[in-house]
Amino acid sequence: MAEVRVAQIGSWPGSDVDLALRISLTDSPDLPVLPELPGRGAHAGMIGRATALLPGLDFDLQPAGWRLHQGTGHDQRRARQLFRDDLDRLEEQAQGYVGPLKFSVAGPWTLAATLERPRGDKVLADHGARREVAASLSAGISELTDELRRRMPDIEPVWQLDEPLLSAVRAGRVSTASGFSRHRTVDVPELVGAIEMIMKPTEVSWWLHSCAAGMPYAELQQAPVDVFSFDESLITAAEWDVLGAAGESGRGLALGVGATSGPLSNPDQLARRVLRRFETLGLESSVVDRWWLTPTCGLAGRAEPDAVRTLRALRSAADIVNEELGG
């Protein structure tokens, strides 16, 4: 029977990698993740981890953030060492696990809007530099995927590109270094082309996640995205038309409904919300196996017990949805 499933997004509270992995394998059995633990510092956050996956590019950590640099700096070596340690711990914790396992990394446009060039300002300002970052990211993901398949042949790698700044790049809302102006918008062919450059060479399932409003979902249909992941509360009626059509054509939809701050999510309320959306879109129950319930974004801002409760609330909500649709 087709069933809606549950997944994490990526970030997790605390600094205990082994505990975070055990929780993911236990409370996200549909699709465990290698969690990000930004509580360990900038080296372990979304951008820091990405610098560990960019072959041929060197960075150092400045007060304003990560900057391209001649020669690998101490901070990038630290980021790489943390990531390698995480992979070793994953290999140990995932002994006996067979199935898909998700790895997340900052996408090319979030990196372009965050990383700085050697003399300042964002990589986004330089067409050649942003293409170089995207190409390096593509190579790094391909290399790591091959390594994962050698080290853990029983898992099926799934990759998620995190793009919280893609909509700001597309709309020309990224500030320049001075703060007095904005970087120019990026044309759709280049915007989608960078995503394709990363996704096409690696034969895995691809998620594209953003918890920001205004994602250009119509344009992104051109990219080989298998699952669109988003904060359900931010999606407009027009965007639902696009996403609903994408779901009917075979793509997955990951509805971010689990609150990452404030009151904890109520399973019954979450289930009713998802069922109303399903009814509004007029979807056949057969597409439910391509739907996922997730937190709206990473759970690093939660206390660890509340983060676990959020995952369990999503699991209970999924059970209610499956029972209703199955009936």
Side-chain angles (χ1 to χ4, degrees), residues 5-78:
R5 290 165 288 173
V6 172
Q8 288 176 245
I9 291 302
S11 69
W12 190 257
S15 58
D16 189 329
V17 180
D18 289 324
L19 178 59
L21 284 167
R22 286 196 296 271
I23 290 171
S24 182
L25 288 161
T26 301
D27 289 287
S28 296
D30 296 331
L31 184 56
V33 303
L34 174 64
E36 294 173 3
L37 274 66
R40 295 181 293 175
H43 312 87
M46 179 174 65
I47 303 302
R49 174 174 280 187
T51 68
L53 285 174
L54 297 176
L57 296 180
D58 297 321
F59 298 88
D60 64 352
L61 184 58
Q62 299 290 322
W66 292 91
R67 177 178 291 181
L68 283 162
H69 177 72
Q70 288 296 321
T72 304
H74 166 77
D75 292 298
Q76 189 178 20
R77 286 195 295 271
R78 172 66 174 155

Side-chain angles (χ1 to χ4, degrees), residues 188-272:
V188 169
E190 184 184 354
L191 190 88
V192 177
I195 302 290
E196 290 181 321
M197 180 192 299
I198 291 162
M199 292 185 172
K200 279 188 173 180
T202 307
E203 296 181 356
V204 297
S205 178
W206 281 100
W207 286 44
L208 181 64
H209 168 73
S210 180
C211 45
M215 284 284 283
Y217 290 112
E219 292 92 336
L220 288 168
Q221 301 298 311
Q222 302 170 45
V225 179
D226 296 292
V227 178
F228 286 105
S229 173
F230 46 83
D231 180 342
E232 190 270 345
S233 69
L234 299 179
I235 304 301
T236 66
E239 289 167 344
W240 269 120
D241 288 341
V242 174
L243 290 168
E248 287 186 315
S249 69
R251 285 174 163 164
L253 301 181
L255 283 68
V257 292
T260 58
S261 61
L264 293 174
S265 301
N266 177 285
D268 290 320
Q269 292 174 347
L270 293 180
R272 299 277 82 78

Side-chain angles (χ1 to χ4, degrees), residues 76-319:
Q76 189 178 20
R77 286 195 295 271
R78 172 66 174 155
R80 287 174 175 168
Q81 185 59 56
L82 276 174
F83 186 59
R84 303 311 302 184
D85 288 347
D86 289 354
L87 290 176
D88 290 341
R89 292 174 183 274
L90 170 64
E91 186 174 3
E92 180 180 344
Q93 293 286 340
Q95 289 290 326
Y97 174 77
V98 178
L101 199 147
K102 183 153 68 76
F103 301 82
S104 59
V105 64
W109 296 111
T110 293
L111 290 175
T114 305
L115 298 171
E116 291 194 345
R117 296 182 295 173
R119 295 184 180 180
D121 215 340
K122 306 297 185 187
V123 165
L124 184 61
D126 185 322
H127 174 84
R130 61 201 193 207
R131 182 172 179 81
E132 187 177 11
V133 166
S136 177
L137 182 60
S138 177
I141 290 173
S142 295
E143 290 171 7
L144 181 56
T145 301
D146 291 341
E147 178 185 345
L148 291 169
R149 285 171 170 156
R150 291 193 302 270
R151 292 177 61 164
M152 293 174 277
D154 290 332
I155 75 161
E156 175 189 339
V158 174
W159 276 98
Q160 173 181 298
L161 288 185
D162 288 322
E163 283 286 16
L165 295 181
L166 188 152
S167 56
V169 169
R170 179 70 186 101
R173 297 197 307 268
V174 179
S175 297
T176 59
S178 68
F180 295 115
S181 61
R182 301 286 185 270
H183 289 282
R184 284 190 250 174
T185 61
V186 175
D187 292 337
V188 169
E190 184 184 354
L191 190 88
V192 177
I195 302 290
E196 290 181 321
M197 180 192 299
I198 291 162
M199 292 185 172
K200 279 188 173 180
T202 307
E203 296 181 356
V204 297
S205 178
W206 281 100
W207 286 44
L208 181 64
H209 168 73
S210 180
C211 45
M215 284 284 283
Y217 290 112
E219 292 92 336
L220 288 168
Q221 301 298 311
Q222 302 170 45
V225 179
D226 296 292
V227 178
F228 286 105
S229 173
F230 46 83
D231 180 342
E232 190 270 345
S233 69
L234 299 179
I235 304 301
T236 66
E239 289 167 344
W240 269 120
D241 288 341
V242 174
L243 290 168
E248 287 186 315
S249 69
R251 285 174 163 164
L253 301 181
L255 283 68
V257 292
T260 58
S261 61
L264 293 174
S265 301
N266 177 285
D268 290 320
Q269 292 174 347
L270 293 180
R272 299 277 82 78
R273 182 172 159 188
V274 172
L275 288 165
R276 282 196 301 272
R277 177 58 57 192
F278 205 85
E279 182 179 350
T280 301
L281 291 173
L283 298 175
E284 297 291 333
S285 59
S286 60
V287 309
V288 74
D289 65 336
R290 296 194 293 274
W291 276 40
W292 297 80
L293 303 188
T294 73
T296 57
C297 210
L299 288 166
R302 285 283 193 195
E304 189 175 88
D306 288 345
V308 173
R309 292 187 186 100
T310 299
L311 291 182
R312 292 176 180 173
L314 288 167
R315 179 72 270 162
S316 296
D319 290 341

